[in-house]
Amino acid sequence: EIVMTQSPATLSVSPGERATLSCRASQSVGSNLAWYQQKPGQAPRLLISGASTRATGIPTRFTGSGSGTEFTLTISSLQSEDFAVYYCHQYHKWPRTFGQGTKLEIK
Amino acid sequence: EVQLVESGGGLVQPGGSLRLSCAASGFSFMSYSMNWVRQAPGKGLEWVSYISSSGDTIYYADSVKGRFTISRDNAKNSLSLQMNSLTDEDTAMYYCARLVNTTLTSDYWGQGTLVTVSS
């Protein structure tokens, strides 16, 4: 099973600043990496697939990058609605696996 | 509008069974693969099971293999998850999710149904 490790577990950032979230895979997943955002009491929302392709309706302040084993989600100029938990997810091999999540909180 | 509505969750005793359903609308259900994903209270996401659009390809997480059965009825736009031999580790919110055909990422999710396994 491919283990996905996210860092940091919690990230405190002020509104308007940039946030950088990391995700590492225990083996190469190519570009088969997605990012999801989840707010309390809500289902996850797809942000990024293919490591860098924004899903429909996702603002351009969300940028995904990386390939192989190292991936980054960058959120430029944080808005109040961006404070949430973010999960990376590999769909390269079965079983599908998720990272443990990064909680982005207001500083 | 794409809608996925889960049902069937509830309180069940250890060793018991439960059948979850997911009603799909707003898209051609028979054309999409589907996932079940769960989330234990206060924890992260865990993929549970996958079924292809025709139902001929199925995968399970090791944690549920042999106990859970995924199925679909394309005529009724419905996805199901039969869960047997439940343990407290199966306590979670269960989400059904539609998969994008090209990437097999989950683009639409239901709001979930809560399964609680407790005596």
Side-chain angles (χ1 to χ4, degrees):
Chain A
E1 157 176 327
I2 299 176
V3 177
M4 308 301 292
T5 303
Q6 293 184 240
S7 61
T10 303
L11 183 61
S12 299
V13 183
S14 300
E17 294 189 340
R18 176 192 299 258
T20 302
L21 289 68
S22 296
C23 175
R24 173 177 293 178
S26 61
Q27 61 183 268
S28 178
V29 299
S31 293
N32 297 311
L33 189 284
W35 289 93
Y36 292 90
Q37 176 195 67
Q38 188 179 33
K39 298 179 180 179
Q42 296 185 15
R45 177 174 72 143
L46 178 65
L47 299 175
I48 301 283
S49 63
S52 61
T53 302
R54 278 184 294 275
T56 302
I58 301 304
T60 56
R61 65 179 180 272
F62 290 90
T63 302
S65 62
S67 66
T69 62
E70 299 285 343
F71 301 89
T72 300
L73 175 68
T74 302
I75 313 170
S76 63
S77 190
L78 280 162
Q79 307 296 303
S80 58
E81 62 265 29
D82 300 335
F83 292 95
V85 179
Y86 292 83
Y87 295 95
C88 62
H89 166 61
Q90 68 81 17
Y91 52 96
H92 185 63
K93 286 187 176 180
W94 302 98
R96 303 310 200 214
T97 48
F98 291 87
Q100 80 280 16
T102 289
K103 181 180 181 180
L104 181 57
E105 64 177 27
I106 301 174
K107 185 175 182 179
Chain B
E1 178 192 5
V2 173
Q3 282 200 319
L4 297 168
V5 180
E6 302 93 337
S7 61
L11 176 63
V12 60
Q13 292 189 337
S17 298
L18 214 53
R19 186 177 183 88
L20 306 183
S21 295
C22 171
S25 61
F27 66 101
S28 176
F29 180 70
M30 67 173 61
S31 300
Y32 287 85
S33 301
M34 300 291 293
N35 268 346
W36 285 100
V37 176
R38 69 184 180 183
Q39 186 170 35
K43 302 298 184 182
L45 301 170
E46 179 188 15
W47 170 78
V48 172
S49 185
Y50 161 90
I51 187 167
S52 63
S53 57
S54 63
D56 59 356
T57 301
I58 286 172
Y59 298 106
Y60 298 100
D62 285 346
S63 58
V64 306
K65 198 174 296 182
R67 301 186 299 122
F68 289 13
T69 302
I70 191 172
S71 62
R72 64 190 297 157
D73 185 336
N74 285 341
K76 295 183 177 179
N77 293 338
S78 179
L79 175 73
S80 295
L81 186 68
Q82 176 66 41
M83 305 187 298
N84 298 330
S85 303
L86 287 163
T87 74
D88 57 358
E89 294 186 343
D90 297 314
T91 293
M93 183 72 77
Y94 284 74
Y95 297 100
C96 66
R98 188 184 84 164
L99 298 178
V100 178
N101 287 331
T102 51
T103 64
L104 293 188
T105 50
S106 300
D107 61 346
Y108 282 93
W109 299 59
Q111 284 305 302
T113 187
L114 182 62
V115 173
T116 303
V117 183
S118 176
S119 55

